[in-house]
Amino acid sequence: MKRQTTHRWLTMLLLFALSSLACQFSLIDFSVFTQPTPIPGTGPTATPAPLAEVTFKLSLPAPIQAGETIYLAIMDEVTGLALNPVLYTMQAVDAQTYSLKMPFVLGSVIKYRYVRKGVSTAQEDTSFGELVRYRMYHAATPGEVHDLLASWSDQPFNGQTGYIQGSISSAASGQPLPGILVTAGGVSTLTDSLGQYRLEGLLPGTHLIMAYALDGAYRSFQQGADVLPDSSTTAPLSLQSANLVQVTFNITTPADTVGGAPLRMAGNLLQFGNTFADLNGGISVVTSRMPSLAPGQTNNYSISLRLPAGADLRYKYTLGDGFWNAEHDPDGKFHLRQLIVPESDTVISDTVRTWQSGPSAPILFNVTVPANTPLGDTVSIQFNPYGWTEPIPMWPLGNHKWVYKLYSPLNMLGSFGYRYCRNDQCGAADDIATAVSSQSRRVSTSLTPEDLQDTVSSWIWLPESDPATVVAVPVQARNASFWAGIELQPGYHPSWQAFYPTAFNNIQGLGANVLIQTPSWTAKNDQPLIFAPTAGNDPLWSDTLQTIQYSRAANLITVLYPTPRLLPNAPDFWFNAPRTPAWWDNWFARYRAFALYHADLAAQGGAQALVLGGEALTPSLPGGLLINGAPSGVPADAEARWRSLISEVRAHFKGQLLWAQPYSTKLAPAPVFIDQFDAFYLLWSAGLSANGADLGALTTEAGRRMDEELLPFLSAAGKPVVIAIDYPSAQGAASGCIPASGGCLDWTALSRPYADLASIPLDFQGQANLYQAMLQAIEQRPWVGGFISRGYYPPVALMDKSSSIRSKPTADLLWYWYPRLLGR
């Protein structure tokens, strides 16, 4: 089954750009070569770098049409995969075989893919309809690679496939290596905590499999692997660790560089801002994740980094990201540098020739923002030349004023849109004037400098407001094991990473003692099942470890509650899945990997507890049902499979283990394997009133549900409970059901990045009353072991309709209750 599920918008951008190659004026200035030319590197000296000649051979599924040409596209992940490829014409060997020889700097890691161009333009995709992001080849020596192309983006795939699976370990220690990028045949994945990987949908034949450390900490390794139809090929790999060397970069910038503006390095390694994801506008690097350089004398900067020897570093200097305000060649082209990191300490001296990309003069954006902009927030600017790209932090001037000078790439723009937002969260925390994605401010390029003076009158979801009034009530302190905490919204974007410390300090400021983090894996395909960490959708291994450390630095008990992202949504995922015996075998194997991955993360990071379960997993439990009540077809031995899985989790993680039990309308029976868990983590979103009753009635109903429904449930299971509540600040939340399309609204639809549902009224007081009722009911029931607020939005404060309590009156309520419950 071929499903066109990923980045179709990005495909249209690429196809539009490529189709305009023959035009004199193009959106993107692609370079097309009929004869191969060396790919130069920039090193510490002018000594020519040794080259390795690589032969690319491509086998097509069918002959191309007359007038069509096959290109090898060399990708630039620093500028953006869709924004700066260089195309080389391939030569026909026969009707279905093409070839090209090219020289590369010895040691280069080449990222490439194939393009077909004629009347229309097509890019290669996989057998299951996902665009090939890129293939990889390590030019450690002269060599040859023979690629098999599954299909084009404008043609269906019809054929047999197999898959490669294996594990990757350290050659020195034999320990498994998580987070290694593995690619073959245009398919890629990241290894789990056992070092395991699985590459689905590969054509029968020989493929080059490559293992690549995102930060270069291990040397890349590649080898051939034969794939047979409907069969598995096992390919274990071991990687050599790279020695770290000290590399000092001394940089001279142009005279027109804005004094005091932060200069950063954008690069293809993780530590240089690369997310290995397709983000807004085809960009992969995020400004807030890049290293900043230290200013020296006028126009001079420097930075000293520990880098892995042998790594192929592609990099550029920038006042923005890899696309906006990055260095250019004098002819206006993007400038991308290359350094094969040497085996010993070295000093690199670089000169940025220009920030500009043509005759258009720079544009200075000045903006005054509201006085209620939270202290510590960053104002960002986002540009829309062909679609919204990633936001870029502006430069603070003080007194609520921010500035940004845009130099490039103005040569490819006429009129373009822009908007302001907070903390890089454009589309969620916007200027009120451009709060709808189709709205923007406009500016046109000019040969003379422009100085724009803008004012943000207010921010969406940040009204002027006074602190909430909290009614003082006596609170009985609980024992030291009581949890009073916050659960993060189950979502992720790589830009969030920079804002976690501030969010965690705010959570600590509420008096909370527990933080529930919600890392994820994405199931982006159901047949074949592809369920693995996906860059951009899910935090990387190193990201989650860093987030755990941020939490511990804020003196918060850290709990991991990993959440599967089942696309397009959990009910449809289960309905669409074939759920055959073979499919269930694969599901349990992948969920086992998911659970052990997060158990290992919790153990390595120092988390105190791990939560498994949740509503999305209901069809996979013993006797599992679909959302319509039909049997899911889960195997008869599901209980044994779950028990084995939980035992393995226990072997990997020695902390507390909780089971997430949904509770919306009624409590489903506890799973038969609950005896293997320490406690319930109750996902409470149950209705307390059909018509918005007063606080007393809400408290009474909360207590009734606890006494008549929850307590017997817990007594039967013999387990304690932590209650985690989820009520949005939207009218109707008290009933437990906000009507929508003949049913109840999934409350995540009120969260960012989803668009606002204008038909649903905002109700801060309703959310605060529900929290007050629950807290008062719990305070009277000492058998409840904790209270958690779910849905906290970490990158920025928003007073929206979501379940997040950040900066809402409910947060003031928790600020009163939490310290008293904890006896502080």
Side-chain angles (χ1 to χ4, degrees):
M1 178 171 61
K2 182 171 181 176
R3 295 173 57 194
Q4 305 293 327
T5 56
T6 57
H7 304 296
R8 294 291 105 179
W9 177 87
L10 186 58
T11 306
M12 296 307 297
L13 162 66
L14 180 62
L15 297 186
F16 168 77
L18 289 172
S19 66
S20 63
L21 283 171
C23 302
Q24 183 177 1
F25 297 101
S26 165
L27 176 66
I28 306 295
D29 183 19
F30 291 96
S31 298
V32 182
F33 296 92
T34 56
Q35 297 294 327
T37 56
I39 307 297
T42 59
T45 70
T47 304
L51 301 179
E53 187 175 69
V54 179
T55 300
F56 297 88
K57 287 189 176 180
L58 175 65
S59 293
L60 301 179
I64 61 175
Q65 300 296 314
E68 292 185 324
T69 303
I70 302 297
Y71 293 99
L72 175 75
I74 302 297
M75 311 309 296
D76 170 8
E77 198 168 16
V78 184
T79 306
L81 295 180
L83 304 175
N84 193 39
V86 181
L87 307 186
Y88 295 88
T89 305
M90 301 192 74
Q91 304 301 316
V93 176
D94 57 43
Q96 291 179 236
T97 307
Y98 286 75
S99 180
L100 176 67
K101 291 184 178 180
M102 290 186 60
F104 293 87
V105 173
L106 192 68
S108 294
V109 173
I110 306 153
K111 298 178 179 179
Y112 68 99
R113 62 190 176 202
Y114 296 103
V115 174
R116 191 198 78 230
K117 185 177 182 299
V119 175
S120 62
T121 301
Q123 180 184 312
E124 64 167 324
D125 65 4
T126 66
S127 62
F128 43 87
E130 185 176 68
L131 295 177
V132 170
R133 195 162 189 269
Y134 48 67
R135 299 170 182 260
M136 299 179 73
Y137 182 82
H138 185 205
T141 61
E144 178 176 299
V145 57
H146 192 168
D147 291 322
L148 308 176
L149 191 140
S151 66
W152 297 108
S153 54
D154 60 355
Q155 297 173 358
F157 173 78
N158 184 20
Q160 294 180 301
T161 64
Y163 63 93
I164 299 174
Q165 64 180 359
S167 60
I168 296 180
S169 60
S170 164
S173 67
Q175 292 297 308
L177 298 178
I180 299 294
L181 179 64
V182 189
T183 180
V187 179
S188 62
T189 191
L190 294 167
T191 56
D192 61 28
S193 62
L194 303 180
Q196 296 175 342
Y197 68 91
R198 182 169 170 137
L199 299 171
E200 293 276 6
L202 296 175
L203 296 187
T206 301
H207 294 271
L208 184 74
I209 182 170
M210 180 168 170
Y212 176 84
L214 304 184
D215 59 0
Y218 290 84
R219 296 182 185 268
S220 299
F221 181 83
Q222 61 194 20
Q223 70 176 39
D226 294 329
V227 174
L228 298 176
D230 301 316
S231 298
S232 167
T233 298
T234 301
L237 306 173
S238 61
L239 303 185
Q240 298 283 348
S241 61
N243 295 324
L244 294 179
V245 298
Q246 196 77 20
V247 182
T248 299
F249 297 86
N250 294 319
I251 303 93
T252 300
T253 61
D256 65 346
T257 303
V258 175
L263 180 66
R264 297 180 170 93
M265 289 181 73
N268 63 328
L269 298 180
L270 186 66
Q271 57 268 48
F272 288 86
N274 190 7
T275 64
F276 295 86
D278 296 313
L279 305 179
N280 286 319
I283 286 172
S284 295
V285 297
V286 170
T287 303
S288 61
R289 298 171 68 110
M290 300 175 193
S292 295
L293 287 79
Q297 296 180 348
T298 306
N299 298 326
N300 288 303
Y301 296 78
S302 67
I303 189 171
S304 188
L305 301 168
R306 299 283 289 174
L307 297 178
D312 178 6
L313 173 62
R314 311 292 177 99
Y315 68 101
K316 61 173 69 176
Y317 301 103
T318 179
L319 298 170
D321 58 21
F323 180 71
W324 297 105
N325 261 8
E327 58 177 316
H328 283 259
D329 292 329
D331 61 4
K333 293 183 178 179
F334 291 106
H335 187 66
L336 183 65
R337 302 172 185 270
Q338 181 180 19
L339 172 69
I340 307 298
V341 178
E343 298 294 330
S344 59
D345 296 352
T346 191
V347 176
I348 306 294
S349 296
D350 288 329
T351 298
V352 175
R353 285 172 281 186
T354 180
W355 300 118
Q356 294 182 232
S357 57
S360 295
I363 303 171
L364 188 65
F365 297 86
N366 297 272
V367 63
T368 302
V369 299
N372 72 328
T373 303
L375 185 67
D377 272 13
T378 296
V379 174
S380 307
I381 189 167
Q382 186 181 33
F383 299 112
N384 185 351
Y386 48 81
W388 291 111
T389 56
E390 282 298 306
I392 296 171
M394 298 185 72
W395 310 325
L397 294 178
N399 197 29
H400 311 301
K401 296 182 183 296
W402 296 74
V403 68
Y404 190 75
K405 188 173 185 179
L406 182 63
Y407 295 87
S408 63
L410 301 179
N411 60 323
M412 61 182 63
L413 307 176
S415 173
F416 62 98
Y418 69 98
R419 63 182 177 182
Y420 301 108
C421 63
R422 296 184 292 124
N423 287 2
D424 294 349
Q425 304 309 304
C426 293
D430 296 273
D431 170 7
I432 193 73
T434 56
V436 178
S437 62
S438 59
Q439 297 175 334
S440 68
R441 301 172 187 262
R442 303 293 300 179
V443 64
S444 297
T445 59
S446 172
L447 297 178
T448 58
E450 298 176 77
D451 190 345
L452 304 182
Q453 301 288 332
D454 291 327
T455 298
V456 174
S457 61
S458 63
W459 298 111
I460 188 72
W461 306 125
L462 193 70
E464 296 282 354
S465 61
D466 296 323
T469 300
V470 178
V471 177
V473 295
V475 177
Q476 180 66 41
R478 296 300 182 87
N479 60 37
S481 64
F482 188 83
W483 285 10
I486 298 291
E487 179 191 312
L488 302 184
Q489 174 183 315
Y492 185 73
H493 186 278
S495 66
W496 290 14
Q497 205 71 24
F499 302 106
Y500 281 130
T502 298
F504 295 174
N505 286 334
N506 288 339
I507 291 169
Q508 184 196 44
L510 296 175
N513 69 339
V514 173
L515 174 66
I516 317 289
Q517 298 184 25
T518 53
S520 59
W521 278 16
T522 298
K524 59 183 179 180
N525 209 70
D526 53 35
Q527 180 60 16
L529 176 62
I530 300 175
F531 180 34
T534 303
N537 287 345
D538 311 313
L540 300 172
W541 175 270
S542 57
D543 290 334
T544 302
L545 282 179
Q546 184 183 59
T547 308
I548 293 172
Q549 296 312 308
Y550 289 153
S551 176
R552 296 182 65 186
N555 294 315
L556 295 167
I557 295 170
T558 303
V559 180
L560 293 192
Y561 175 21
T563 55
R565 294 164 56 94
L566 307 180
L567 300 182
N569 55 62
D572 286 346
F573 171 85
W574 291 109
F575 272 123
N576 295 333
R579 304 193 308 281
T580 61
W583 188 91
W584 279 112
D585 288 344
N586 196 10
W587 163 261
F588 276 103
R590 296 312 301 151
Y591 186 78
R592 168 185 174 272
F594 167 84
L596 294 181
Y597 179 93
H598 291 99
D600 289 334
L601 268 172
Q604 184 172 329
Q608 286 93 332
L610 177 68
V611 180
L612 297 179
E615 190 171 18
L617 297 178
T618 300
S620 69
L621 301 182
L625 301 175
L626 301 176
I627 196 171
N628 63 356
S632 66
V634 67
D637 64 347
E639 179 183 346
R641 297 189 191 211
W642 274 100
R643 287 191 177 279
S644 174
L645 184 156
I646 297 162
S647 295
E648 285 193 84
V649 168
R650 287 285 196 185
H652 285 246
F653 176 67
K654 305 304 181 183
Q656 285 186 289
L657 188 61
L658 290 80
W659 177 257
Q661 180 79 13
Y663 181 32
S664 52
T665 55
K666 64 178 181 179
L667 271 170
V672 293
F673 47 77
I674 192 62
D675 57 288
Q676 294 181 274
F677 286 83
D678 297 310
F680 283 104
Y681 186 71
L682 190 71
L683 308 179
W684 180 302
S685 58
L688 300 183
S689 169
N691 53 11
D694 62 24
L695 180 59
L698 292 174
T699 304
T700 299
E701 176 61 11
R704 185 199 67 78
R705 282 187 175 270
M706 292 180 194
D707 294 338
E708 298 179 10
E709 299 176 28
L710 180 56
L711 186 57
F713 172 85
L714 297 174
S715 298
K719 299 294 178 183
V721 67
V722 171
I723 295 179
I725 75 167
D726 184 2
Y727 289 119
S729 49
Q731 199 170 96
S735 69
C737 177
I738 299 175
S741 303
C744 295
L745 182 73
D746 181 346
W747 288 350
T748 59
L750 298 173
S751 302
R752 310 285 73 82
Y754 300 111
D756 178 48
L757 299 177
S759 62
I760 299 174
L762 190 68
D763 188 1
F764 291 139
Q765 190 59 50
Q767 184 190 49
N769 286 345
L770 288 164
Y771 267 71
Q772 179 83 355
M774 290 294 294
L775 286 163
Q776 290 181 173
I778 287 172
E779 193 266 345
Q780 297 168 18
R781 289 160 177 83
W783 47 267
V784 176
F787 179 91
I788 304 294
S789 169
R790 304 187 68 206
Y792 188 95
Y793 190 60
V796 68
L798 296 174
M799 297 180 70
D800 61 359
K801 302 170 188 176
S802 73
S803 296
S804 175
I805 56 91
R806 187 172 183 181
S807 293
K808 297 177 184 177
T810 304
D812 296 322
L813 188 69
L814 295 186
W815 171 84
Y816 176 85
W817 274 85
Y818 275 0
R820 288 163 176 80
L821 283 170
L822 297 174
R824 296 176 180 173

